[in-house]
Amino acid sequence: MVLPFSSRDLKTILLIVAGQLLLTAWALSLVVSPDGISLMWLPDGYLLGVLLLLPRRLWLPLLLASALAVFTFESLTTDRPASMILLFMMANIIESWGAAWLYSSFASNHRKLEEFRDLVLFVLVCVVILPVISASIGAWGVVSHGYSESFWSVYRIWLMSAGLGILFVAPLILYVAHWFKQLNRELLKNQAPLYIVVLIAAMIVTVPAFVFEGPHNLLMLSLFITIPLLIWSSLYYGLWGALLFSSLLVITTVQLSALGIGPFSATSQTSADAVLKLQGYLASVIVASMFTGLSTEKLRSIRERLELILNTLPYGIQENTNDGKVTYSNPAHHEILGYPEGDLIGKRIWDNEISEEASNRLKGYLDYLVKERPEPEPYITKNIRKDGSSLWMKVVWDYQLNEAQEVQGFISVISDISDSVAKEQRLQQAAEVFKSTGEGVIITDRDTNIIDVNQAFCEITGYAEDEIIGKQPNYFSSGKHDRWFYEDLWETIKSKGHWRGEIWDRRKNGELFPQLMTISEMTDDQGEVSGYVAVSRDITAFKDVEQRLEFLANHDPLTELPNRVLLIERLQQSILHAERNNTLLAILLIDIDRLKTVNDSLGHAVGDRILKELSGRLLESVRADDTVARISGDEYVVILQDVGSVEHTINAVSKIMSVFMPVFKYGQHEIGVTGSIGISMYPSDGKDFATLLRNADVAMYRAKEDGRNTYQFYKEEMTAIAFERLFLENAIRKAIQNEEFFIVYQPQIDMPSRRIIGIEALIRWNHPEQGVVSPGKFIPVAEQTGQIREIGSWVLRQACQQAAQWLEQGLSFGRISVNVAGPQIQQAHFEQHVRQILQQTGLAAEYLELEVTESFVMQGIRHGVGYLHALRQLGVRISIDDFGTGYSSLSYLKSLPVDKIKIDQSFIHDIPLDPNDMAITQAIIALSEALELEVLAEGVETREQVEFLTRHGCEQAQGFLFSQPVDQHQITMLLSQQ
């Protein structure tokens, strides 16, 4: 057989029935009526409470089990007939089941009495209506079995007994079940005062009862003393306190009365009135305590909800008196001002104002509110937090009035508006920026209708504000952008939220102008696009600068001719053109001869004017399709397209050469310059721009070697010369590192006495592969590359060291003569360098003679004199080498700080056969005597030359006749032999 409930349900039913039997036994012990009716029938209240807690499927099994157990128990423990017990069981089951069914059907929560409606319903249904039915059946059973003659007397006692049992036990069962669910240490700790008071109350009631038997006044007083304690427990602990305390009173009162102790046992047990008095007392206590407890619980719940609301509000709530004293402040108010909870109570509302002036202003405003009672307005103030930081607060006031409608205080809602104030300030700043910024700003709605513009935009476009508002941005369209441009623009804005780029617009006067513009979406709080803002800057000036920079990147800034970058681009285009059309192309590399002399003598301003005028002449001498470019300080390149033949090229070159013929006039100066031109032809001399330019450069150098002011076509052998030059540059660099240079010495002779009066130190180069390299080959290359500085310094140091050694050996050599090139003398602080070498080698300055070329002295005449004076001040002697080969000015020559003139060997070589050389030599000797300078002849090789020189007054010479350049050992032997 399958039962409609589980084994666990069966255990529950058995436990409940066991509890009911215990309560039945106790209730039978409380029979004080002569009719055998219990003072308070507890099992019905117990059974009702349990039924309300159990699911309905267990009601019938529980009722049957309960009826069977109670019937059996009463049959065994009482002398009542079985039929009477059955009537009693039927009355009790109807009462418990009916009350449980009705109450659970209509109550909002039948498992817990927490609403007044439910409590009233419980009293009406469970305590009044169903006990009426139970009392009617029970009273009829008592009377019908002859246990009493008065139906009404039994009915009243039964009704009160059943009602009291339900009223006392059922709520207690429900609340104990709820209490066990919430039971924890914190709950017991909070309810500890309640349990102590209940214990004290039990002692107050029971101790006098056992000390004073019978209905003594003190016993009556003890019961009523507990009434305030019952009220206290109801007020502070709600329904649970009321039930617990009333249970104590009911149990002790009923039990004592059943024992014949206490004020309600004074009358005879046969008196129904005494029982009814006791039942009435108990019912009033229970009902009063339940309603008091539930009311208190409701009030406390409302207060807790209010406190929860106040504690969770993000706004500060504050109460204060008329004199500003804070009587209440919620947690949010403390948090706003940074104080621990409770610290603001008792403070004045102006204690946290930013200044004393602000405090006085708030005091005055509060006094004004109290006296005048106007409609309070929001009060904006700046306060100080506990940590010293400041904040802006908005206070919304309201009055608290007493019964006489007088102001007794204020309640206020306080909010931290620092962020709002900061936002407002930022908005004001943004508005000021919008108004005063130099960039144009347009604001549109979501349909791109213009709703606002700033003054800068009006100034940029030339429109007034009222001419623009309501129009769309395409009103300014320049027409330079196609629809694809604008579609891409809006697609970018939709996908990224912004667009940035250059755009052309049209001013009111029709002028087109470029702008750098940024367009951004504006969104509302829901993230929807609400409009657009465009910030633009007129970049017309920037574009002009950009074009100018682009021009300068491809053009020479002085002449505005194409520079090397643009030249290469055009040359490549010309090569492609010539290749496609099978035509000739000529590349002319023009070097301005001696432009440096003009710059040094007349200044760079004059040189620049020559270049600008020359550029104009060159442009006029070529065709429109040809190109003239300036690629360095004194170099031009001309590209001649479609020249037809070499003869046509020569004609064009002749025309270009003719531009140098007219002199350049600047003020009182008439300056003549010439040009050396190198020519390479496409495709014979190269098929790419690098080769053509290189070969034109080689040809140009050949033109310079041929005396300048001429032109040369490139020939293949010129490349060998160029490669040799490149080889020398690299080899010189390695020679310095590998110490391949060495010094030879040639004596300078006093011809009458044949004694050595000086020694010239000469550099030689012993290349590991090429052998001895002539100085005539590598010295010019070293001068052009700047390597001569390092080489010359080495020669000077070696010569001074050797001279110092000779002096230590006691050998007389006169002076050691060292050649110095122009780039050496022109380097910064050359005279200090010479002084340093003299000091380091220990050679006195009087033993050193420096030789400079005539061409250097005259080309750098303005600075050359200064250089020579600085060297002369050291005590070093100065001589002019290769004299007669340059273009000396006698007026300048007499001002030069020199001691000796060396006649170039080209004039000595053909004496006495060439009368011109003899005349020139004789003139140089005479000039030296006139300027009181020593004179020395170079390259003397015959006795006839010695005789001619001595006869005309030149007594110093050097040459192969006396000695070839020899090494250190041989020259030392010559010195020791004289």
Side-chain angles (χ1 to χ4, degrees):
M1 179 179 179
V2 179
L3 296 175
F5 46 83
S6 64
S7 59
R8 183 177 179 180
D9 295 336
L10 181 60
K11 291 178 182 179
T12 301
I13 291 172
L14 293 176
L15 286 174
I16 293 171
V17 169
Q20 189 177 15
L21 290 177
L22 290 174
L23 289 176
T24 301
W26 185 31
L28 291 174
S29 69
L30 299 178
V31 175
V32 295
S33 167
D35 302 322
I37 306 303
S38 175
L39 181 64
M40 181 171 58
W41 189 249
L42 302 173
D44 287 356
Y46 173 77
L47 188 59
L48 173 59
V50 170
L51 288 174
L52 291 175
L53 291 174
L54 291 177
R56 289 190 178 186
R57 62 183 177 82
L58 296 180
W59 284 10
L60 181 60
L62 177 60
L63 289 172
L64 293 174
S66 173
L68 179 61
V70 172
F71 176 80
T72 303
F73 181 78
E74 288 195 26
S75 297
L76 295 175
T77 58
T78 66
D79 57 355
R80 294 171 180 172
S83 58
M84 184 177 175
I85 295 174
L86 285 174
L87 281 173
F88 285 178
M89 291 301 99
M90 183 177 66
N92 292 336
I93 289 174
I94 291 173
E95 180 186 57
S96 299
W97 176 82
W101 184 81
L102 285 173
Y103 180 69
S104 63
S105 299
F106 296 101
S108 58
N109 184 359
H110 65 273
R111 289 188 172 88
K112 184 182 179 185
L113 292 171
E114 57 184 3
E115 299 292 339
F116 280 109
R117 173 181 173 278
D118 292 345
L119 183 57
V120 172
L121 180 66
F122 178 81
V123 172
L124 289 175
V125 172
C126 303
V127 180
V128 177
I129 297 176
L130 269 302
V132 167
I133 299 173
S134 172
S136 299
I137 297 173
W140 178 77
V142 171
V143 172
S144 64
H145 284 81
Y147 278 79
S148 176
E149 296 178 356
S150 174
F151 176 87
W152 180 245
S153 175
V154 176
Y155 174 82
R156 287 188 302 163
I157 295 175
W158 185 292
L159 179 64
M160 292 299 292
S161 175
L164 276 174
I166 292 174
L167 190 62
F168 170 52
V169 180
L172 193 62
I173 291 293
L174 295 177
Y175 218 96
V176 167
H178 177 68
W179 183 79
F180 269 110
K181 291 180 181 179
Q182 294 181 317
L183 184 61
N184 56 51
R185 183 176 295 180
E186 189 66 27
L187 180 63
L188 292 175
K189 182 180 177 181
N190 292 336
Q191 294 179 352
L194 173 65
Y195 306 137
I196 294 172
V197 170
V198 169
L199 180 62
I200 293 172
M203 294 174 64
I204 291 173
V205 173
T206 56
V207 171
F210 286 104
V211 173
F212 304 99
E213 297 182 0
H216 195 276
N217 290 334
L218 184 60
L219 297 174
M220 181 66 73
L221 180 63
S222 67
L223 286 174
F224 284 98
I225 287 175
T226 59
I227 298 299
L229 298 177
L230 172 62
I231 295 172
W232 173 85
S233 63
S234 300
L235 290 176
Y236 279 90
Y237 294 97
L239 188 57
W240 172 241
L243 290 172
L244 192 62
F245 209 101
S246 62
S247 299
L248 166 71
L249 291 179
V250 169
I251 292 171
T252 54
T253 303
V254 169
Q255 190 64 49
L256 291 173
S257 297
L259 297 173
I261 303 173
F264 293 105
S265 63
T267 58
S268 172
Q269 289 188 354
T270 61
S271 173
D273 291 337
V275 174
L276 289 174
K277 285 181 182 179
L278 176 59
Q279 289 175 328
Y281 167 74
L282 295 175
S284 63
V285 168
I286 295 172
V287 172
S289 64
M290 288 178 65
F291 275 94
T292 302
L294 187 58
S295 299
T296 303
E297 202 165 281
K298 280 292 182 183
L299 291 173
R300 187 172 64 208
S301 176
I302 293 172
R303 178 180 177 84
E304 287 175 353
R305 283 199 295 270
L306 286 174
E307 287 182 352
L308 181 62
I309 292 171
L310 291 175
N311 292 343
T312 55
L313 279 175
Y315 305 104
I317 306 296
Q318 174 184 267
E319 287 182 335
N320 62 272
T321 60
N322 291 349
D323 60 354
K325 185 177 180 180
V326 178
T327 57
Y328 173 77
S329 174
N330 72 337
H333 186 212
H334 285 81
E335 185 178 352
I336 288 172
L337 289 173
Y339 283 87
E341 197 167 334
D343 278 16
L344 293 176
I345 307 299
K347 292 173 69 72
R348 303 291 175 177
I349 61 175
W350 47 75
D351 287 350
N352 291 90
E353 290 295 308
I354 191 74
S355 64
E356 185 176 354
E357 180 183 355
S359 298
N360 293 333
R361 183 165 60 91
L362 182 55
K363 291 177 185 177
Y365 182 69
L366 191 65
D367 186 57
Y368 165 71
L369 291 179
V370 173
K371 292 179 180 179
E372 303 295 334
R373 285 186 60 180
E375 183 70 25
E377 296 180 354
Y379 188 85
I380 307 299
T381 180
K382 194 172 186 180
N383 273 214
I384 300 294
R385 293 188 180 94
K386 186 177 183 181
D387 61 6
S389 60
S390 62
L391 76 158
W392 286 95
M393 299 195 314
K394 182 171 81 170
V395 184
V396 180
W397 305 85
D398 200 1
Y399 297 103
Q400 288 183 324
L401 306 176
N402 58 19
E403 293 179 356
Q405 297 299 300
E406 297 173 337
V407 178
Q408 64 178 12
F410 296 88
I411 185 168
S412 53
V413 179
I414 300 168
S415 53
D416 182 354
I417 60 170
S418 300
D419 290 342
S420 299
V421 171
K423 288 179 181 178
E424 184 176 351
Q425 291 175 346
R426 287 196 296 270
L427 286 174
Q428 292 175 350
Q429 293 169 354
E432 187 62 31
V433 170
F434 173 77
K435 182 171 65 175
S436 60
T437 183
E439 296 182 327
V441 182
I442 308 175
I443 300 176
T444 75
D445 59 18
R446 62 183 301 169
D447 298 321
T448 69
N449 297 308
I450 298 175
I451 58 178
D452 200 3
V453 296
N454 68 344
Q455 183 60 34
F457 184 82
C458 295
E459 293 174 358
I460 291 172
T461 61
Y463 286 96
E465 183 177 347
D466 56 359
E467 294 178 298
I468 299 173
I469 302 301
K471 292 184 170 54
Q472 293 199 331
N474 59 13
Y475 182 72
F476 315 103
S477 177
S478 64
K480 292 192 67 171
H481 306 292
D482 56 25
R483 68 184 183 90
W484 306 112
F485 173 85
Y486 293 105
E487 287 182 2
D488 289 343
L489 182 150
W490 284 109
E491 185 64 32
T492 301
I493 293 174
K494 290 178 182 178
S495 61
K496 297 183 178 180
H498 66 275
W499 175 88
R500 179 180 174 84
E502 291 185 11
I503 192 169
W504 285 79
D505 273 348
R506 186 185 303 274
R507 304 187 206 272
K508 185 178 181 180
N509 61 9
E511 176 189 352
L512 302 185
F513 68 102
Q515 295 185 95
L516 181 62
M517 182 175 290
T518 300
I519 305 174
S520 302
E521 287 181 346
M522 296 188 298
T523 55
D524 55 23
D525 295 338
Q526 287 73 40
E528 297 293 328
V529 175
S530 60
Y532 303 91
V533 59
V535 180
S536 61
R537 183 175 46 167
D538 185 348
I539 58 172
T540 303
F542 174 79
K543 282 291 186 181
D544 292 342
V545 171
E546 186 178 54
Q547 291 175 0
R548 178 61 181 167
L549 290 176
E550 184 178 355
F551 178 83
L552 292 177
N554 293 284
H555 292 79
D556 171 47
L558 176 63
T559 63
E560 296 189 351
L561 294 176
N563 61 10
R564 181 179 291 273
V565 175
L566 186 55
L567 169 70
I568 292 173
E569 180 181 336
R570 291 191 179 180
L571 182 53
Q572 289 175 327
Q573 292 174 355
S574 297
I575 292 172
L576 291 175
H577 174 77
E579 183 180 8
R580 282 196 303 266
N581 297 282
N582 195 25
T583 58
L584 296 179
L585 183 68
I587 293 86
L588 281 59
L589 183 60
I590 306 172
D591 184 86
I592 312 303
D593 299 328
R594 294 191 176 89
L595 181 64
K596 187 176 183 301
T597 303
V598 175
N599 289 332
D600 291 342
S601 58
L602 300 177
H604 285 275
V606 174
D608 289 346
R609 292 178 66 181
I610 290 175
L611 289 172
K612 291 176 72 174
E613 184 175 342
L614 178 60
S615 299
R617 294 182 184 181
L618 289 172
L619 284 173
E620 292 176 356
S621 68
V622 298
R623 298 165 299 179
D625 293 341
D626 298 331
T627 297
V628 178
R630 182 180 177 221
I631 62 172
S632 67
D634 55 1
E635 287 187 337
Y636 290 82
V637 172
V638 177
I639 303 174
L640 300 177
Q641 299 198 80
D642 301 328
V643 290
S645 65
V646 174
E647 288 75 15
H648 292 156
T649 303
I650 293 174
N651 293 334
V653 171
S654 299
K655 187 176 181 181
I656 291 173
M657 290 291 293
S658 66
V659 304
F660 292 95
M661 294 179 64
V663 296
F664 297 89
K665 296 180 180 181
Y666 298 107
Q668 299 177 350
H669 299 282
E670 291 187 356
I671 304 168
V673 296
T674 59
S676 301
I677 303 177
I679 308 166
S680 63
M681 302 292 295
Y682 172 87
S684 59
D685 298 332
K687 295 185 178 181
D688 59 86
F689 75 91
T691 303
L692 290 169
L693 285 177
R694 184 192 65 206
N695 291 341
D697 186 64
V698 170
M700 183 271 293
Y701 272 103
R702 180 59 181 272
K704 280 188 170 294
E705 291 173 2
D706 286 351
R708 298 183 172 88
N709 194 23
T710 186
Y711 62 87
Q712 284 285 342
F713 280 90
Y714 172 75
K715 298 181 178 61
E716 197 167 332
E717 58 268 20
M718 293 181 182
T719 303
I721 297 172
F723 283 140
E724 182 181 7
R725 174 186 171 87
L726 181 62
F727 165 77
L728 285 175
E729 289 182 15
N730 296 327
I732 290 171
R733 190 174 298 109
K734 293 180 181 178
I736 296 172
Q737 298 172 356
N738 300 333
E739 299 181 353
E740 297 174 6
F741 294 113
F742 63 96
I743 304 295
V744 295
Y745 302 91
Q746 187 173 33
Q748 296 174 344
I749 305 298
D750 177 69
M751 289 184 287
S753 65
R754 292 292 197 272
R755 290 186 60 82
I756 298 175
I757 58 171
I759 296 175
E760 182 177 3
L762 301 170
I763 187 171
R764 296 293 184 267
W765 179 13
N766 186 17
H767 191 273
E769 297 176 359
Q770 302 292 328
V772 177
V773 181
S774 168
K777 284 188 176 182
F778 71 82
I779 290 297
V781 175
E783 288 183 353
Q784 292 170 5
T785 60
Q787 295 168 317
I788 193 64
R789 295 186 180 92
E790 187 175 358
I791 295 172
S793 177
W794 179 81
V795 172
L796 180 60
R797 184 178 299 276
Q798 294 296 318
C800 291
Q801 284 179 349
Q802 183 59 63
Q805 289 180 9
W806 287 333
L807 290 174
E808 289 178 1
Q809 295 172 4
L811 299 177
S812 176
F813 58 87
R815 297 182 184 85
I816 188 75
S817 180
V818 180
N819 291 280
V820 289
Q824 282 182 268
I825 302 176
Q826 290 172 336
Q827 65 182 329
H829 311 299
F830 177 68
E831 73 281 0
Q832 295 181 12
H833 180 62
V834 174
R835 180 188 291 111
Q836 184 180 21
I837 290 177
L838 290 172
Q839 291 174 351
Q840 291 174 353
T841 58
L843 181 67
E846 63 188 66
Y847 292 104
L848 178 61
E849 181 177 291
L850 298 179
E851 298 184 10
V852 296
T853 62
E854 181 188 12
S855 58
F856 162 73
V857 172
M858 300 316 298
Q859 287 176 4
I861 191 66
R862 296 174 61 188
H863 305 292
V865 175
Y867 299 144
L868 298 180
H869 273 297
L871 292 169
R872 188 74 177 281
Q873 289 176 358
L874 294 177
V876 175
R877 288 172 60 87
I878 306 295
S879 64
I880 298 179
D881 194 18
D882 300 334
F883 190 82
T885 59
Y887 300 90
S888 294
S889 169
L890 296 181
S891 61
Y892 285 132
L893 186 60
K894 67 180 182 180
S895 64
L896 294 177
V898 297
D899 301 287
K900 181 188 292 186
I901 291 177
K902 298 180 70 175
I903 305 172
D904 188 73
Q905 63 181 347
S906 62
F907 301 113
I908 305 299
H909 184 267
D910 291 332
I911 294 176
L913 301 177
D914 189 336
N916 292 328
D917 288 344
M918 293 170 65
I920 292 173
T921 301
Q922 188 176 350
I924 293 173
I925 294 172
L927 176 64
S928 300
E929 290 178 355
L931 296 176
E932 297 182 354
L933 301 176
E934 295 181 20
V935 60
L936 181 144
E938 295 180 304
V940 178
E941 297 180 354
T942 64
R943 295 187 182 278
E944 289 81 3
Q945 293 169 350
V946 171
E947 182 181 351
F948 174 82
L949 292 170
T950 54
R951 185 169 64 248
H952 290 91
C954 177
E955 296 181 346
Q956 298 180 23
Q958 69 183 87
F960 285 2
L961 178 63
F962 309 108
S963 174
Q964 295 183 2
V966 295
D967 61 21
Q968 172 212 342
H969 298 292
Q970 291 175 312
I971 193 66
T972 302
M973 289 180 60
L974 290 175
L975 290 174
S976 32
Q977 289 174 0
Q978 68 173 4

